[in-house]
Amino acid sequence: MITIKVPCSSANIGPGFDVVGLSLSIWLTLRVSIVTTVDTTTSTHTLNCKITYEGEGASHVPLDADANLITRTALYVLKCHGQRTFPPTTHVHIVNPIPLGRGLGSSGAAVVAGVLLANSVGKLDLSRDRMTDYCLMIERHPDNVMAAMMGGFVGSYLRELDPADMERKEIPLAEVLPEPAGGVDTGLRPPEPPLGIGHYIKFGWAKEVKAVAIIPDFEVSTATARGVLPEAYSKKDMIFNLQRLAVLTTALTRSPPDAELIYQAMQDKVHQPYRKHLIPGLPEILASVTPQSHPGLLGICLSGAGPTILALATHNFEHIAEMIMTRFKREGITCRYELLEPAYEGAQVIES
């Protein structure tokens, strides 16, 4: 039995669009077994893999190995190493409490889990850095993947890749969840990622700071949220974000945290203003919840592509969450909230 655990993650944290990510304590878990005796139930499943699933999206998540993002990712990695199917009688039970399409890194976690799955069942002995290269061939934005794989508060960048390689249809793409494109078995060996696609650094994190995730009951796809962004930005707006990001990555390490400094450093002009039409009440929520109005609050932002709102705070968590949920309720939107901590250890594989 192999257990694979991958944390959810929140990208951007205000000004760090496609740059920073924070792994958080909601865990995607795979329980993997390879039955050594003959099992007619698994041998009849696609590509030798039986998938069972519980959790978020259970009614519509695909359970065929060539359709599910986790197993499609694993198959891509296996095919890169000359293995075209899972070992016979592989059973993958997925337990997923990460909300889908809510800006909490569900696709990034699935991709990381898929690469770890391939490494385990294929006995590939890949390093964590090399596994990250495979993740980044599929999930082209490093913020969620790096946070989920490495854990904690992470900054990252992605090397430029050969466009011809990136267009190969053997590579599954994560951005169009819940139906990933690509991953087609053409009979050809897929292109392996170059060494060192992604580079990262782990920042510190003040022990007092926790994350309140307010999760609305609707989805925003990453493709839709990216589609509303402009092709070009003004120099003024880029300087605004760069200044704040430079401060934020250190401010969140300082103990005790400086609420006013962090609140101002979490402002953004690159992605949140353009996504306000996708998330009713977003501008009012971001402007009305402040350290002055809600003691304990440090900063507030859209989590990834949204619609989840992420509030960083040291105390008063329930009051902060209730105020934001009340504001969403005026728009006819129900929410729930989770009080989360950084998942410092990142993705894990446990053999038993």
Side-chain angles (χ1 to χ4, degrees):
M1 177 70 72
I2 301 165
T3 301
I4 296 169
K5 296 179 64 179
V6 183
C8 76
S9 56
S10 179
N12 308 329
I13 317 298
F17 180 64
D18 274 5
V19 177
V20 297
L22 173 65
S23 65
L24 292 167
S25 52
I26 304 176
W27 297 85
L28 168 66
T29 302
L30 310 187
R31 298 191 182 107
V32 186
S33 59
I34 300 173
V35 183
T36 53
T37 57
V38 175
D39 181 348
T40 57
T41 62
T42 52
S43 62
T44 59
H45 284 81
T46 307
L47 299 161
N48 294 334
C49 183
K50 175 184 177 181
I51 302 172
T52 51
Y53 186 98
E54 61 181 282
E56 295 280 338
S59 62
H60 59 269
V61 168
L63 299 182
D64 288 330
D66 57 357
N68 184 280
L69 179 58
I70 294 172
T71 47
R72 286 174 90 159
T73 296
L75 284 163
Y76 161 64
V77 180
L78 290 170
K79 288 171 187 173
C80 285
H81 293 84
Q83 301 179 40
R84 305 205 70 79
T85 67
F86 286 90
T89 63
T90 299
H91 178 200
V92 180
H93 181 64
I94 303 167
V95 181
N96 180 34
I98 304 174
L100 305 181
R102 310 295 172 81
L104 285 169
S106 58
S107 63
V111 168
V112 171
V115 173
L116 293 171
L117 173 62
N119 190 55
S120 294
V121 302
K123 303 187 185 305
L124 305 181
D125 198 28
L126 301 173
S127 69
R128 187 167 286 244
D129 284 345
R130 186 57 179 151
M131 286 192 284
T132 303
D133 291 336
Y134 283 92
C135 292
L136 291 171
M137 284 291 275
I138 298 165
E139 176 92 5
R140 304 285 167 82
H141 313 294
D143 41 13
N144 287 111
V145 162
M146 286 297 193
M149 180 68 89
M150 303 301 177
F153 184 34
V154 181
S156 57
Y157 65 87
L158 186 64
R159 218 177 83 195
E160 292 294 320
L161 298 170
D162 183 343
D165 273 353
M166 302 307 282
E167 290 168 6
R168 289 276 295 274
K169 59 185 177 182
E170 293 91 351
I171 306 172
L173 298 178
E175 191 166 293
V176 288
L177 276 173
E179 297 293 339
V184 177
D185 188 354
T186 61
L188 301 175
R189 188 172 182 133
E192 290 196 48
L195 290 169
I197 293 177
H199 298 266
Y200 74 96
I201 188 166
K202 291 181 76 166
F203 304 115
W205 188 265
K207 64 182 183 303
E208 302 96 327
V209 182
K210 292 182 171 50
V212 183
I214 298 90
I215 307 167
D217 191 21
F218 69 95
E219 297 183 16
V220 174
S221 76
T222 302
T224 300
R226 286 187 173 273
V228 301
L229 301 180
E231 290 295 321
Y233 294 92
S234 69
K235 180 172 72 173
K236 181 180 178 182
D237 285 352
M238 293 307 299
I239 291 172
F240 180 97
N241 271 48
L242 288 169
Q243 288 174 334
R244 280 149 185 79
L245 181 60
V247 171
L248 182 65
T249 53
T250 296
L252 285 169
T253 73
R254 299 286 173 86
S255 183
D258 183 330
E260 189 57 37
L261 182 67
I262 292 170
Y263 181 81
Q264 293 299 331
M266 284 179 65
Q267 304 303 304
D268 161 72
K269 291 190 175 181
V270 167
H271 67 104
Q272 291 176 167
Y274 301 98
R275 290 169 166 169
K276 63 185 178 182
H277 302 299
L278 302 176
I279 302 156
L282 177 63
E284 295 83 359
I285 289 169
L286 295 180
S288 63
V289 184
T290 69
Q292 290 74 35
S293 66
H294 293 77
L297 181 80
L298 299 174
I300 185 169
C301 62
L302 196 59
S303 180
T308 293
I309 301 292
L310 193 76
L312 302 182
T314 56
H315 61 280
N316 212 13
F317 310 113
E318 185 174 358
H319 180 60
I320 292 166
E322 291 290 348
M323 184 277 165
I324 296 169
M325 290 193 293
T326 299
R327 183 62 189 81
F328 270 124
K329 192 173 182 180
R330 290 184 208 160
E331 305 290 338
I333 297 167
T334 57
C335 303
R336 63 184 175 89
Y337 83 92
E338 299 275 356
L339 179 59
L340 305 172
E341 299 190 19
Y344 296 105
E345 59 271 52
Q348 304 168 48
V349 178
I350 305 156
E351 296 190 7
S352 58

